[in-house]
Amino acid sequence: MENNWGTSRIAGCSFSVHPMADNFVDYIKASLNEVDSSKVWMKTDDVTTTVRGRMEHVFDVTEAILLHIAKTGVHVAFQGTFSIGCPGDSAGDVHMDESEERLNKPHSREIEQHIAAKFSLYPMGGGDYMDTIYRQIEAMKEKGVEVTPAHYSTRLDGDTRDIFNGLEDVFRETEASGSSHTVMTVTVSANSPSHKDDHK
């Protein structure tokens, strides 16, 4: 049998979301029920939820899950690892022929939610990526996202939509620059008592 590992451009994200409330399970279940995940492969276990499919749909679903919890006002943390080009990631190709239309975007764009985020990008297998990263960071700044350096990461403060758009752009452009396997880690905090009063 022919081995085609590494040829698929399936994107994915393995993430955990943590509402800071006693009934955290209710928040998570409600969010998963509200979000349309029909264009991605999705599986939840006792550690993480994993979504896989076309890049735009992976970002659409993860952003929507975070927003549906954050819009309740509860303090919520999100931690995810995005990946594309992982060797051996060939199962689930059925979702790669989906259209580009983002099913959750019409509702997500109506939710205004300030978040603080940190991300780190790990391009593997070549590529001229540093200039790409700098360009996309400048593009985020132009959209009103506050960008500051942090140990082992870059911090972003601003609207969820602007930040997730920027994260997707830097992820997509890094892959396009020649990175055969790209990994990005993202940590998000929404409605934290430490910044909630400044961004209502």
Side-chain angles (χ1 to χ4, degrees):
M1 183 173 65
E2 182 181 356
N3 183 335
N4 63 354
W5 287 0
T7 61
S8 174
R9 303 319 293 168
I10 295 174
C13 180
S14 182
F15 69 92
S16 298
V17 61
H18 305 283
M20 308 301 176
D22 291 339
N23 57 334
F24 63 93
V25 174
D26 294 335
Y27 285 103
I28 295 172
K29 286 184 175 180
S31 177
L32 292 174
N33 287 334
E34 285 189 78
V35 172
D36 191 333
S37 60
S38 59
K39 287 192 174 184
V40 297
W41 179 95
M42 185 164 72
K43 183 176 181 180
T44 299
D45 59 28
D46 58 341
V47 181
T48 62
T49 295
T50 300
V51 293
R52 297 165 65 244
R54 289 179 57 143
M55 188 185 300
E56 57 265 33
H57 300 317
V58 170
F59 277 90
D60 178 55
V61 168
T62 51
E63 177 187 11
I65 288 172
L66 171 65
L67 279 173
H68 278 292
I69 297 177
K71 72 179 182 180
T72 67
V74 69
H75 178 198
V76 57
F78 168 98
Q79 190 160 31
T81 300
F82 293 84
S83 176
I84 189 167
C86 180
D89 194 358
S90 58
D93 290 13
V94 64
H95 294 287
M96 296 303 288
D97 60 359
E98 297 285 357
S99 69
E100 294 182 1
E101 180 188 6
R102 302 177 192 232
L103 298 178
N104 297 287
K105 187 59 74 174
H107 186 62
S108 294
R109 67 165 56 104
E110 297 175 358
I111 304 173
E112 294 186 6
Q113 178 65 53
H114 182 275
I115 59 173
K118 289 184 178 180
F119 81 99
S120 300
L121 196 63
Y122 305 97
M124 301 178 227
D128 180 17
Y129 57 86
M130 288 308 299
D131 287 342
T132 298
I133 295 172
Y134 293 140
R135 283 197 305 271
Q136 296 304 325
I137 285 176
E138 288 304 314
M140 282 189 249
K141 290 179 180 178
E142 291 173 5
K143 295 177 182 177
V145 175
E146 182 181 347
V147 181
T148 52
H151 289 299
Y152 319 119
S153 63
T154 300
R155 177 171 174 139
L156 309 171
D157 289 87
D159 183 76
T160 303
R161 294 162 298 185
D162 294 335
I163 288 177
F164 265 76
N165 286 341
L167 290 172
E168 181 179 347
D169 287 344
V170 71
F171 188 70
R172 185 183 301 278
E173 292 303 315
T174 299
E175 186 214 10
S177 73
S179 171
S180 59
H181 181 194
T182 304
V183 175
M184 181 172 69
T185 60
V186 178
T187 302
V188 175
S189 175
N191 301 324
S192 170
S194 63
H195 59 69
K196 186 175 181 181
D197 291 339
D198 296 331
H199 305 279
K200 294 182 178 179

